[in-house]
Amino acid sequence: METTAFIAPTSSSVLPSEASNDRDITHEQFSAGRRAYDELPADLRPQKRGLLGKISRWKWKQIFIVITLWVGYLSVSTAFSTIAPFFPNEAAEHGASPLLTGFIISCAPLCVVILSPVFGYYIPQLGVRFTLLSGLWLVGGSYILLSFVAAMPSGWVFIFFCILLRITEGAGSAMFITSLYMQLPELFPSSVGTLTVCKITY
């Protein structure tokens, strides 16, 4: 069985970086080198390295998915600390002590720590897409309802509903973050580390 060898053009006749002057390469030599490059298989052609090289090989659908996941991750992450500037004063007006106020604020990240392994175990049964979208809906819905707690009566009614909504928000965040880490290897098997670092930096 005969094998065909693909021979790249020599540096002396084609590559401008090897020549002493760009004018030493004629148009015919450049065209010959370009045709030889086009005849090379795709796996033998030099590829761009780094993040820009990986992004250039993505499809528009993959780029849209990355942007959507990053925006969702940013929204879920900011949900933890959005209430910190104004909630302590509102809770004090409704009779909550500073200890209960701190517990209410910390309920969401505490639920993420506890429920993330649970959702990670049940995601294969629930489905990655269902878990991801359900997590976003729970986070968004809990924050919409949390804006109405100021109209509730003071005392334990206010405290109970605040804790309940923060637990719901933490559960939704755990669902979204866990499913996000399981979705990246499936969509981008060769860029998991790059996307993880970019997501955290973002």
Side-chain angles (χ1 to χ4, degrees):
M1 181 177 179
E2 296 183 358
T3 58
T4 304
F6 294 92
I7 302 176
T10 59
S11 59
S12 61
S13 60
V14 178
L15 297 179
S17 60
E18 299 290 338
S20 58
N21 194 344
D22 291 344
R23 296 180 180 178
D24 295 338
I25 300 176
T26 62
H27 178 71
E28 290 76 11
Q29 291 174 332
F30 181 81
S31 300
R34 183 63 185 179
R35 287 193 299 270
Y37 175 82
D38 293 337
E39 292 176 358
L40 288 175
D43 55 346
L44 296 181
R45 296 179 182 178
Q47 302 290 338
K48 295 180 180 180
R49 297 181 178 180
L51 179 60
L52 295 179
K54 293 181 180 180
I55 294 177
S56 64
R57 294 191 293 270
W58 290 350
K59 299 179 180 179
W60 284 108
K61 181 179 180 180
Q62 291 177 308
I63 296 176
F64 177 76
I65 291 174
V66 169
I67 294 175
T68 304
L69 293 178
W70 281 351
V71 172
Y73 183 79
L74 178 65
S75 302
V76 170
S77 300
T78 54
F80 289 144
S81 56
T82 304
I83 67 173
F86 62 88
F87 183 76
N89 294 332
E90 190 69 31
E93 294 178 0
H94 285 77
S97 63
L99 179 62
L100 284 176
T101 303
F103 178 75
I104 292 172
I105 294 176
S106 62
C107 276
L110 181 63
C111 288
V112 173
V113 174
I114 296 175
L115 296 179
S116 291
V118 178
F119 288 119
Y121 180 80
Y122 285 104
I123 277 180
Q125 289 78 24
L126 298 174
V128 177
R129 181 179 298 180
F130 172 80
T131 309
L132 190 143
L133 295 178
S134 299
L136 286 178
W137 276 101
L138 285 177
V139 173
S142 63
Y143 251 77
I144 293 174
L145 294 178
L146 192 63
S147 62
F148 294 100
V149 296
M152 290 185 175
S154 302
W156 287 104
V157 176
F158 173 83
I159 297 173
F160 172 78
F161 277 100
C162 287
I163 293 175
L164 179 63
L165 291 175
R166 290 291 286 179
I167 290 176
T168 305
E169 178 202 336
S173 301
M175 294 174 69
F176 176 81
I177 295 173
T178 306
S179 59
L180 175 62
Y181 279 104
M182 296 186 68
Q183 187 82 346
L184 290 180
E186 180 181 351
L187 297 175
F188 308 93
S190 61
S191 306
V192 178
T194 302
L195 288 175
T196 302
V197 173
C198 292
K199 177 177 63 62
I200 296 175
T201 305
Y202 178 77

